[in-house]
Amino acid sequence: MTVNGAVNHQAATAADTAAPTAGEAVGRVLGTQAASPLSFWVGLEPGKVVQLDDVVVTRREVPGHGTVLVAGVVTTVEARHEGAAYDSDVFLIADGALPAAVVEVAEVRVTRVEPEVFVPPLPGSKVFLASSGDRDQALYFDVMDRRIPLGMGRDGQPLYVNFDFLDGTRGAHVSISGVSGVATKTSFATFLLYSIFNSGVLEGEAANTKALIFSVKGEDLLFLDHDNVRLDDRARGVYARLGLPARAFGSVHVFAPPRPNDPNGVPHVSARTQGVSSFYWTLVEFCQEELLRFVFADSDDERAGYSLLVGQVAARLKAWAEPVGDGGAVMVRGTSCRTFTDLVELLSDQLQDEGTRGEWTGAQTPLGTVNAFLRRLRSAVRPLSPIVRGDLPFYRNHSVRTSDAQVSIVDLHNLPERAQRFVVGVVLRGEFHRKESSGTARPLLFVVLDELNKYAPREGDSPIKEILLDVAERGRSLGVILIGAQQTASEVERRIVSNSAVRVAGRLDPAEAARSEYGWLPPAVRERATIAKPGTMFVAQPEIPVPLAVAFPFPAWATRPAEAATEPAKVSADPFQGLPGVEDDIPPF
């Protein structure tokens, strides 16, 4: 954009320019561009520079109201030759054959007017780089009674988010989008959790507030309670400036599926040996809790026409299945089932027999629908057999629970996608029902779920999508806060994204950035998001009218096995911590 008639001043070389200090005048409000209470342009003084995301302020005396502060964030910076008529003039100007001046201008998007007298800044008014007090006013940090650090701004100062928009007081839920492997979505989500737990905003509730993380990317998230050996003094200094300790998570427990065909149910993890428990569901639980519907947790299952049949069969299993022994096996109509394969074979025989089919379906059901149901059910045998069992000791606690530690991690990376859907659906339903029955929103439960577009796609319906919609719409009142991450927000159910009070974007694909779901990003920020480096996120929250460019610090906890210190971080003074308990895994020997 060309700014005609901007303040004329002598050409300044790069050596003459210097970054201004806080509170220093950087320029004046332009008169060649219309200034409004929402935005204005600044002509920079010789030797002064501002960059994107800098916070600037100007003031105006208004009769009857006194001094009005107009503060905003720099959204565009431009430089041009004033006096050049043709593109080729740049060469003549550089050789000194044609007189011209270098003019730099910046567009400022207003974030706050204090007091709220919405008048434009006057042309020629001095514009200053915001000092600490003005900066806090411009970004509403001064009115955040409970704020948590998000990371550092481009000015090297901390940036915050209002916890009222995270804990359900005035809003809840977080949506994080970005290209896989580049946007560092999971790293930001874990830092956000760490900041919540360690910033002091939870006060007396900190010990009982829980986080449930579903991990699908290898074993990288299994070492959150181990110090990061790569953390250096510079990174520790960043944590100090944010007011956070530079250490690992203090209380972590990992849940992993059993190893396939292992008679002892040993957790299927390789790099971690302590603080790991197996999770699975017995056939008794599968039948009594009507978990069959989560076997058909794909949106395609709802469109296939056998969803009613799924409900009928699940109800019959609940009514007819009886426990056998102490291993979780069941007896269904005289047939004993010890494995998921046994149960599927029983259902196949009963539904293919004309004499017994009606008792299971409860109505006249077309044979084609029954066969489609059975084909889908048989395809679930291999992925679900390790986690739906009737052949393991029943006396051992095998459920995923959030009571063991502050952060509970459910490792899914060794499970096929079909089994991952089953686990996510069943665990979320259980935790949501637990919070419902508690009758109170406190203590909070934060749920971190990656690949949200897979579990709650925009098109179609599924049991998991129903639960996630329930969390998005009612979780705020129940104290269940969803931190969802996805590569493409355009493919996630709209109601889930729209109910997220805090929205975050990392590196975006250019085509995805053009979608309407990113309308909360100004055009210039959208373009920047396509070239954002790992560790840079754009965060929008309701109080601040522009997204903040945030650089969150290097993790103080291990993000992969190679970064993990030998021993877990010790932050508890409990003398009994680490001793074996009744819920610990029994060694396979």
Side-chain angles (χ1 to χ4, degrees):
M1 176 179 178
T2 301
V3 182
N4 295 320
V7 178
N8 189 13
H9 52 69
Q10 297 300 317
T13 64
D16 298 326
T17 61
T21 58
E24 182 182 352
V26 293
R28 294 181 181 271
V29 177
L30 284 182
T32 53
Q33 293 288 316
S36 78
L38 301 179
S39 66
F40 59 92
W41 285 80
V42 178
L44 301 182
E45 293 184 0
K48 303 297 183 183
V49 295
V50 294
Q51 61 176 332
L52 298 178
D53 307 313
D54 276 347
V55 181
V56 297
V57 297
T58 186
R59 288 173 169 82
R60 174 180 176 179
E61 292 294 330
V62 180
H65 297 281
T67 303
V68 175
L69 171 76
V70 181
V73 176
V74 175
T75 56
T76 303
V77 181
E78 297 178 351
R80 67 182 181 87
H81 270 137
E82 190 171 63
Y86 304 100
D87 292 342
S88 59
D89 287 348
V90 65
F91 302 103
L92 298 175
I93 296 171
D95 294 336
L98 183 67
V102 174
V103 176
E104 289 189 65
V105 295
E107 183 183 29
V108 177
R109 183 169 179 181
V110 175
T111 57
R112 189 171 181 178
V113 178
E114 190 66 36
E116 288 191 338
V117 180
F118 290 98
V119 294
L122 293 177
S125 300
K126 281 192 174 184
V127 178
F128 301 85
L129 196 67
S131 60
S132 58
D134 289 341
R135 181 178 182 272
D136 286 350
Q137 270 196 303
L139 301 179
Y140 291 85
F141 295 157
D142 62 323
V143 296
M144 294 183 184
D145 295 329
R146 299 185 304 157
R147 63 187 190 184
I148 61 173
L150 282 174
M152 307 299 287
R154 291 185 61 82
D155 58 0
Q157 300 299 314
L159 296 174
Y160 303 93
V161 63
N162 194 338
F163 193 57
D164 287 352
F165 292 104
L166 288 178
D167 72 343
T169 302
R170 299 164 65 187
H173 312 309
V174 181
S175 175
I176 309 174
S177 304
V179 177
S180 180
V182 182
T184 56
K185 302 184 296 293
T186 305
S187 296
F188 182 76
T190 53
F191 174 76
L192 183 61
L193 279 180
Y194 181 82
S195 187
I196 292 171
F197 289 144
N198 292 276
S199 62
V201 294
L202 294 173
E203 299 179 340
E205 298 178 357
N208 294 320
T209 301
K210 307 293 185 180
L212 177 64
I213 302 177
F214 292 95
S215 174
V216 296
K217 297 176 180 177
E219 299 188 1
D220 291 351
L221 289 180
L222 305 192
F223 295 89
L224 297 183
D225 56 342
H226 288 66
D227 290 325
N228 195 324
V229 297
R230 295 177 54 197
L231 190 70
D232 55 21
D233 291 338
R234 181 179 180 182
R236 290 187 180 91
V238 175
Y239 279 91
R241 295 178 68 182
L242 293 173
L244 298 173
R247 65 190 183 204
F249 286 80
S251 178
V252 174
H253 194 89
V254 176
F255 296 91
R259 294 184 183 276
N261 304 317
D262 188 290
N264 297 291
V266 174
H268 193 184
V269 294
S270 57
R272 181 172 179 134
T273 57
Q274 295 181 344
V276 184
S277 300
S278 293
F279 71 83
Y280 57 91
W281 289 267
T282 65
L283 290 174
V284 173
E285 294 166 331
F286 183 86
C287 297
Q288 291 180 347
E289 298 175 16
E290 298 186 63
L291 302 185
L292 180 67
R293 63 195 303 260
F294 291 100
V295 178
F296 300 83
D298 195 302
S299 58
D300 290 337
D301 292 314
E302 293 291 327
R303 293 191 288 263
Y306 46 67
S307 57
L308 181 61
L309 180 58
V310 173
Q312 293 284 1
V313 174
R316 299 298 184 270
L317 286 175
K318 180 178 181 179
W320 293 340
E322 300 177 356
V324 176
D326 64 353
V330 293
M331 179 77 71
V332 183
R333 311 199 75 182
T335 302
S336 177
C337 301
R338 296 187 68 250
T339 65
F340 186 62
T341 302
D342 294 341
L343 184 62
V344 172
E345 290 179 353
L346 167 69
L347 293 176
S348 180
D349 293 341
Q350 294 285 307
L351 290 172
Q352 287 181 322
D353 189 321
E354 294 184 1
T356 57
R357 183 187 307 141
E359 298 176 353
W360 285 87
T361 60
Q364 284 293 102
T365 304
L367 186 59
T369 300
V370 173
N371 289 335
F373 166 82
L374 290 176
R375 283 195 300 270
R376 183 67 171 163
L377 183 61
R378 292 189 190 103
S379 69
V381 170
R382 184 172 181 180
L384 293 185
S385 289
I387 56 175
V388 180
R389 311 287 289 266
D391 57 347
L392 292 176
F394 189 62
Y395 55 80
R396 185 172 55 192
N397 199 330
H398 54 269
S399 61
V400 175
R401 53 203 178 274
T402 56
S403 58
D404 290 358
Q406 188 173 59
V407 179
S408 300
I409 302 172
V410 183
D411 181 30
L412 303 175
H413 83 280
N414 281 319
L415 292 175
E417 184 174 322
R418 187 85 177 272
Q420 291 181 8
R421 293 178 184 274
F422 179 86
V423 174
V424 170
V426 175
V427 172
L428 281 181
R429 187 187 73 166
E431 288 298 318
F432 196 69
H433 286 177
R434 180 184 64 79
K435 290 289 291 181
E436 276 186 312
S437 61
S438 70
T440 176
R442 295 296 196 272
L444 298 173
L445 172 65
F446 292 91
V447 177
V448 179
L449 180 61
D450 199 359
E451 300 182 4
L452 195 58
N453 51 299
K454 180 172 71 175
Y455 300 110
R458 176 154 299 187
E459 304 296 333
D461 295 301
S462 72
I464 302 178
K465 184 175 178 178
E466 292 176 9
I467 294 171
L468 289 171
L469 275 171
D470 218 8
V471 170
E473 294 172 345
R474 294 198 301 129
R476 172 184 171 186
S477 61
L478 296 175
V480 181
I481 312 301
L482 177 64
I483 302 177
Q486 60 278 325
Q487 294 187 45
T488 51
S490 60
E491 296 179 2
V492 178
E493 168 61 41
R494 286 186 178 89
R495 286 173 289 175
I496 294 178
V497 177
S498 63
N499 275 288
S500 298
V502 178
R503 303 188 187 186
V504 184
R507 176 77 167 268
L508 293 176
D509 177 79
E512 176 67 10
R515 304 293 294 266
S516 60
E517 285 73 19
Y518 300 92
W520 54 274
L521 288 173
V525 180
R526 288 199 198 194
E527 294 181 13
R528 289 174 60 195
T530 63
I531 59 173
K533 294 182 179 180
T536 298
M537 314 298 284
F538 300 95
V539 182
Q541 53 184 309
E543 279 183 323
I544 306 177
V546 296
L548 302 179
V550 178
F552 63 95
F554 185 78
W557 50 91
T559 59
R560 56 180 60 90
E563 294 177 350
T566 305
E567 295 294 331
K570 302 294 184 182
V571 297
S572 173
D574 183 1
F576 300 104
Q577 186 176 16
L579 295 180
V582 294
E583 295 183 356
D584 287 352
D585 286 320
I586 297 174
F589 48 83

